Amino acid sequence: MEGLRVIEHPVLARALTELRSTDTSRAAFRAAMAEASEMLAYEALRDLPVHEVEVQTPLEATTGARPERITVIAVLRAGLGMVDAFLRLMPDAAVGHLGMRRNEETLQPEDYYESLPESLASTTVFVVDPMLATGGSSSAALRRLRAAGARDLRLVCLVAAPEGVAAVREQDPHVPIIAAALDRGLDERGYIRPGLGDAGDRLFGTE
Ligand SMILES: O=P(O)(O)OC[C@H]1O[C@H](OP(=O)(O)OP(=O)(O)O)[C@H](O)[C@@H]1O
Ligand SMILES: O=c1cc[nH]c(=O)[nH]1
Ligand SMILES: [Mg+2]
């Protein structure tokens, strides 16, 4: 789908399979989310601008590169499972939080918390949320971040539904979306099929 980059890699596919399986324990689910997120972060950071820096090797001076600082925005709760992976690769990233809970009757997101760093307007901003279902939560997060000054936004998720990709792209046609999988679609309760169930519940043990 336009605007969506699905990362295909055997190691990522294994982690995603762990995440999907009902045989996966809570600890293994957390580990697989961390592993998959690190691979997605690596790919999402691929075109990050870099500064040239002078570096002295033991033999001579040469030019090296340092990536620009970034901002990571976790859509609570499930997005928390992806933040540390970004911080392993970009340890001085600023981190913001948007509390967003999908009303399971209306499927509309309800926001309940917000903490945003000042770096929003001056850095590339990676919004992390493992599930892109109807797209309501991600669209609301992107809208809020644009209103707060963010310009260069990317959405990183583990599993996307075509409906969610279309909804985000309709609202924000230029936001790149990076995912580990594009699944078949949504069921009548707004769950991604085949999906992995409720990511937040599986991550935090509230199922
Ligand atoms: O695309 P949508 O239809 O909006 O659905 C996706 C949202 O649903 C899940 O969060 P949930 O509301 O379950 O909150 P949680 O992370 O606290 O479990 C998920 O983490 C997304 O934020
Ligand atoms: O499949 C889905 C849809 C929304 N939220 C989830 O955690 N999973
Ligand atoms: Mg949930």
Side-chain angles (χ1 to χ4, degrees):
M1 289 182 78
E2 209 186 324
L4 171 72
R5 190 153 71 94
V6 177
I7 308 302
E8 289 181 10
H9 191 289
V11 182
L12 180 55
R14 180 188 60 199
L16 184 63
T17 304
E18 281 279 299
L19 289 167
R20 290 193 194 280
S21 172
T22 53
D23 291 337
T24 300
S25 68
R26 187 178 306 151
F29 187 88
R30 286 179 176 145
M33 186 173 292
E35 192 188 356
S37 300
E38 191 158 333
M39 287 180 263
L40 283 179
Y42 181 82
E43 286 298 332
L45 292 162
R46 186 175 283 283
D47 59 354
L48 194 65
V50 293
H51 300 294
E52 282 195 356
V53 291
E54 290 293 305
V55 60
Q56 179 70 46
T57 79
L59 300 174
E60 63 179 60
T62 186
T63 308
R66 221 167 257 146
E68 281 186 2
R69 287 205 164 149
I70 64 161
T71 302
V72 178
I73 302 292
V75 179
L76 306 183
R77 290 172 303 166
L80 288 174
M82 301 178 72
V83 172
D84 284 353
F86 272 83
L87 296 186
R88 269 192 291 281
L89 303 184
M90 300 291 288
D92 62 359
V95 181
H97 299 88
L98 285 175
M100 208 86 73
R101 175 189 305 114
R102 189 173 81 158
N103 179 318
E104 295 298 336
E105 301 294 316
T106 64
L107 300 185
Q108 296 304 307
E110 296 168 350
D111 50 297
Y112 60 88
Y113 181 74
E114 175 176 310
S115 167
L116 300 175
E118 280 181 7
S119 57
L120 268 190
S122 57
T123 58
T124 304
V125 178
F126 294 85
V127 181
V128 297
D129 188 334
M131 308 308 279
L132 178 57
T134 66
S137 305
S138 292
S139 298
L142 293 168
R143 243 187 343 266
R144 178 62 200 121
L145 295 169
R146 290 237 184 261
R151 286 174 300 184
D152 185 5
L153 282 162
R154 324 235 163 144
L155 177 62
V156 185
C157 53
L158 287 168
V159 183
E163 294 90 330
V165 175
V168 166
R169 297 285 299 172
E170 191 179 324
Q171 170 188 282
D172 208 324
H174 302 297
V175 70
I177 306 172
I178 296 137
L182 177 66
D183 276 12
R184 188 173 72 243
L186 299 179
D187 66 17
E188 63 292 345
R189 294 188 307 136
Y191 275 79
I192 302 176
R193 294 297 182 104
L196 51 77
D198 189 303
D201 283 349
R202 294 190 67 189
L203 196 57
F204 294 107
T206 47
E207 66 268 78

